[in-house]
């Protein structure tokens, strides 16, 4: 009787088991990190998408976020630092039937991979990019990133960052992305919906996810525990759909403008290539 | 000129007058290459131009990437999508490609990388010949590995060896380098393209087991694992990290690292009889053997002939495959000859390999050339004469 009840009350399977590599878990991410939430939102988005999962491919670069590809029970490629997007470009052009998603971090996509990001956006390559932005390089213990807010401290900006950061949605929109959204890991339902919209979008779609790194960025900048950072997201996030992403800069402890900024239609690289053939 | 024709499927066949770069592109198309990701660079640009024109005619895709780093990344991605893919570049781009050449090696991704070598270092002499990237071809990406590099000396050979490169890439699941040079790339000669059915095609080895029984990096007895690609239902995980047979990262196990690295090296070395191609001319009875590759093997023919006319017994050993190096053949010859002469358009790269394998049993004389031109026949002839003259001393490989 007790056993029967246990069977009912305690599930032996997680509802997302089918799409996760159970033999790779537990993951390596720190407690309080937002990446687990991003992964969950991605998996729940996949479950709601009408796609053949054998045709969904996840490509990542290097870093904490780069490990996401390894936890998903999909075809996954963990490439070199910054090169996820051009690798994904080759996958997509080699087999246009594939649904190719790049999941990587701000350092990987915006610094060493910045050139690839803007050119894939310019071409309107049919890819979805989920850029998890924790404002620093977490994997190597918290160094300056091109997204680190001015004056923020990291292990390589110990006196405060003297650089201006990239505003990811603004860069994506300016260089040609057809879908651009930003959410924090607090906005799980909206994030999931944006991932669905991005993956249904033909063209270069970008979803930036602001995510806490309490272990490094949070500690260097006295932002408190992960919970306190979530409270910060709650207090300082403003949803402003369709607003000009140029106005969506993120400062140290400043407000975070979130929402869907861009959703336009224009021919993809493959569309134009086929047109050029005729 | 023989008959030329383009068959319905867009493949050329017949006898053509074309430059090496064009022959390379046509060889790739005959080999089944249907993806080219590249970036323009002298003297390899004509390969990209030819592929941009030709690939759409045969159902393939050409893309000009933002740089050579992106080019090779896209080539790797296209290969994992199940396509035969290549890129072509020269020294500066070759340097940029070293990072993901390593990713191709550790993930065992078949693809072809053509380097039309020019004078270096750095921007060097963009329009003139060089052979200065031969050691970069061997060691350019970080970490321990083995590589395959072929060295054509004419447009026809560039055509033939590009096809061979694709087949070796598939057979051994590794990037294969075609190390040609500006002289060959820009030389226009007769190129015969045989009927497609006569061209060798090594099909990619696919898994024979269902997805749940498949280990992406469990090798067949020859050291090469069958390859499932993206979208085939195998749910593969591929990483540039040190990985186990499942393809999962295992970055703190010395055993996993050793097993992986040893297999990556063994799958090439153990099959070197199949991979190494040499062309020998009167080597068996020679006192002096000229060891050369690419354009330098071609220009060595004249001084070899001149020396023979002087009564010297000279052989010519042409390294069609430069890497893996023909160690066994040089070791075999060393006790039988007085010396090796190695002309190359660099300041001594393959000469060092020859000297190493000669092991002090025969002298090795380098005939260096800094780049920008070909060897004068007299320079090679003088080196041959030095070996055979009584005053000749021990090995000299420094310029």
């Amino acid at each position: 009787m007790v056993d029967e009840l246990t069977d009912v009350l305690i599930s032996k399977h997680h509802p997302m088991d089918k799409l996760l590599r159970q033999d790779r878990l537990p993951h390596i991410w720190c407690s309080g990190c937002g990446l687990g939430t991003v992964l969950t939102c991605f998996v729940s988005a996949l479950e709601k998408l009408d796609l053949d999962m054998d045709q969904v491919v996840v490509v990542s670069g290097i870093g904490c976020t780069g490990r996401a590809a390894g936890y998903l029970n999909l075809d996954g490629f963990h490439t070199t630092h910054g090169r996820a997007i051009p690798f994904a470009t080759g996958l997509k052009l080699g087999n246009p039937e594939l649904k190719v998603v790049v999941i990587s971090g701000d350092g990987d996509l915006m610094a060493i991979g910045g050139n690839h990001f803007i050119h894939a956006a310019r071409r309107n390559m049919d890819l979805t990019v989920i850029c998890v932005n924790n404002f620093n390089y977490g994997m190597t213990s918290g160094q300056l990133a091109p997204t680190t807010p001015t004056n923020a401290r990291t292990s390589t900006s110990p006196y405060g960052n003297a650089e201006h950061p990239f505003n990811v949605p603004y860069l994506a929109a300016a260089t040609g992305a057809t879908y651009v959204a930003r959410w924090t890991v607090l906005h799980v339902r909206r994030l999931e919906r944006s991932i669905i919209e991005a993956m249904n979008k033909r063209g270069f779609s970008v979803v930036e996810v602001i995510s806490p790194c309490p272990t490094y960025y949070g500690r260097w900048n006295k932002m408190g525990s992960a919970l306190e950072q979530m409270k910060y997201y709650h207090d300082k996030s403003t949803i402003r759909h369709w607003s000009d992403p140029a106005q969506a800069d993120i400062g140290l402890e400043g407000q975070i403008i979130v929402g869907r900024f861009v959703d336009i239609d224009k021919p993809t690289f493959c569309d134009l290539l086929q047109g050029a053939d005729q | 000129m023989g008959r030329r024709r383009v068959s319905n499927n867009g493949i050329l066949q017949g006898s053509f007058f074309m430059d090496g770069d064009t022959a390379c592109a046509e060889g790739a198309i005959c080999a089944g290459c249907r993806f080219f990701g590249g970036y323009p660079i002298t003297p390899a640009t004509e390969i990209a131009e030819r592929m941009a024109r030709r690939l759409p005619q045969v159902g393939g895709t050409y893309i000009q990437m933002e740089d050579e780093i992106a080019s090779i990344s896209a080539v790797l991605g296209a290969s994992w999508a199940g396509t035969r893919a290549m890129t072509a570049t020269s020294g500066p781009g070759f340097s940029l490609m070293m990072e993901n050449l390593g990713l191709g090696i550790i993930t065992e991704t078949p693809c072809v990388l053509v380097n039309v070598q020019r004078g270096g270092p750095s921007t060097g002499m963009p329009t003139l010949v060089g052979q200065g990237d031969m050691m970069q071809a061997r060691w350019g990406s970080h970490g321990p590995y083995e590589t395959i590099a072929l060295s054509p000396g004419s447009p026809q050979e560039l055509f033939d060896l590009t096809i061979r490169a694709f087949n070796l890439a598939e057979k051994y699941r590794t990037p294969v380098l075609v190390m040609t040079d500006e002289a060959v790339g820009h030389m226009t000669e007769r190129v015969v393209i045989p009927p497609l059915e006569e061209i060798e095609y090594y099909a990619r080895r696919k898994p024979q087991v269902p997805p749940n029984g498949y280990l992406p990096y469990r090798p067949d007895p020859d050291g090469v694992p069958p390859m499932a690609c993206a979208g085939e239902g195998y749910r593969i995980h591929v990483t540039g990290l040190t990985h186990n047979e499942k393809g999962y990262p295992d970055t703190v196990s010395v055993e996993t690292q050793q097993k992986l690295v040893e297999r990556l090296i063994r799958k090439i070395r153990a099959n070197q009889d199949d991979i190494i191609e040499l062309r020998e001319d009167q080597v068996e009875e020679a006192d002096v053997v000229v060891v050369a590759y690419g354009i330098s093997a071609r220009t060595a023919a004249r001084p070899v002939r001149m020396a023979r006319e002087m009564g010297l017994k000279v052989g010519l050993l042409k390294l069609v495959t430069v890497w893996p190096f023909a160690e066994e053949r040089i070791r075999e010859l060393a006790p039988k000859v007085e010396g090796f002469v190695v002309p190359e358009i660099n300041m001594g790269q393959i000469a060092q390999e020859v000297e190493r394998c000669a092991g002090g049993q025969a002298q090795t004389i380098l005939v260096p050339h800094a780049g920008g031109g070909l060897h004068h026949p007299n320079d090679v002839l003088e080196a041959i004469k030095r070996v055979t003259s009584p005053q000749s001393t021990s090995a000299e490989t420094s310029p």
Side-chain angles (χ1 to χ4, degrees), chain A residues 23 73 75 78 80 83 123, chain B residues 66 99-100 231 236 239 246:
Chain A
D23 52 356
N73 188 22
D75 285 327
H78 180 225
T80 43
R83 315 305 172 209
R123 292 183 187 108
Chain B
E66 52 274 17
E99 173 196 60
N100 267 359
I236 47 174
T239 176
K246 210 165 181 180

Side-chain angles (χ1 to χ4, degrees), chain A residues 277, chain B residues 6-12 25-26 28-36 50-62 83-84 196:
Chain A
D277 280 353
Chain B
V6 184
S7 61
N8 288 336
N9 57 8
I11 310 288
L12 298 185
E26 291 301 334
I29 286 167
C30 287
C33 174
R34 293 297 178 268
F35 180 85
F36 185 99
R50 185 75 174 187
M51 290 304 256
R53 180 176 291 267
R54 293 281 286 128
L55 277 175
Q57 297 172 355
V58 295
T61 302
Y62 169 90
T83 311
R84 285 193 167 200
L196 195 58

Side-chain angles (χ1 to χ4, degrees), chain A residues 23-229:
Chain A
D23 52 356
R24 289 278 289 132
L25 298 171
H27 57 67
I28 61 162
W29 296 319
C30 305
S31 64
C33 173
L35 278 163
T37 307
V38 178
L39 196 69
T40 303
C41 289
F42 180 67
V43 171
S44 65
L46 285 180
E47 285 173 335
K48 288 176 183 149
L49 278 158
D50 182 26
L51 291 171
D52 173 2
M53 289 304 147
D54 283 343
Q55 300 298 312
V56 179
V57 187
V58 174
V59 185
S60 72
I62 297 297
C64 296
T65 314
R67 292 303 185 102
Y71 299 131
L72 289 159
N73 188 22
L74 299 167
D75 285 327
F77 294 89
H78 180 225
T79 67
T80 43
H81 199 15
R83 315 305 172 209
I85 288 177
F87 189 100
T89 297
L91 270 171
K92 181 70 186 174
L93 297 180
N95 179 1
E97 300 301 309
L98 298 175
K99 192 86 200 161
V100 185
V101 184
V102 171
I103 306 181
S104 218
D106 52 305
D108 185 80
L109 290 167
M110 293 295 128
I112 190 166
N115 197 35
H116 308 310
F117 180 87
I118 61 174
H119 286 279
R122 176 180 62 78
R123 292 183 187 108
N124 197 22
M125 193 57 64
D126 191 10
L127 303 172
T128 295
V129 175
I130 299 173
C131 174
V132 183
N133 180 2
N134 61 8
F135 305 108
N136 76 155
Y137 288 80
M139 181 66 90
T140 47
S141 69
Q143 292 78 32
L144 180 75
T147 46
T148 306
T150 308
N151 295 324
R153 290 172 199 271
T154 68
S155 70
T156 50
S157 60
Y159 307 110
N161 179 19
E163 300 182 14
H164 299 286
F166 267 148
N167 166 343
V168 176
Y170 184 32
L171 182 68
T175 51
T178 48
Y179 180 93
V180 181
R182 175 198 276 161
W183 299 104
T184 77
V185 291
L186 186 73
H187 302 87
V188 286
R189 287 201 182 82
R190 292 177 173 100
L191 172 59
E192 179 197 298
R193 200 168 67 196
S194 264
I195 292 172
I196 292 169
E197 286 170 355
M199 288 184 68
N200 280 329
K201 186 82 195 171
R202 272 178 59 76
F204 193 74
S205 52
V206 179
V207 179
E208 184 191 26
V209 191
I210 306 300
S211 173
C213 177
T215 305
Y216 297 114
Y217 182 75
R219 188 152 50 93
W220 270 96
N221 293 287
K222 301 189 167 51
M223 299 177 94
S225 67
L227 195 62
E228 284 168 290
Q229 288 196 51

Side-chain angles (χ1 to χ4, degrees), chain B residues 251-279:
Chain B
T251 56
V252 290
S253 160
V254 175
E255 289 73 28
T256 304
Q257 165 76 358
Q258 186 169 346
K259 198 173 162 195
L260 175 62
V261 168
E262 282 183 355
R263 183 174 63 74
L264 292 177
I265 291 172
R266 192 180 68 244
K267 74 175 178 179
I268 292 173
R269 288 196 189 156
N271 293 297
Q272 58 181 323
D273 288 348
D274 178 47
I275 299 166
I276 295 178
E277 183 183 347
L278 304 173
R279 295 221 184 104

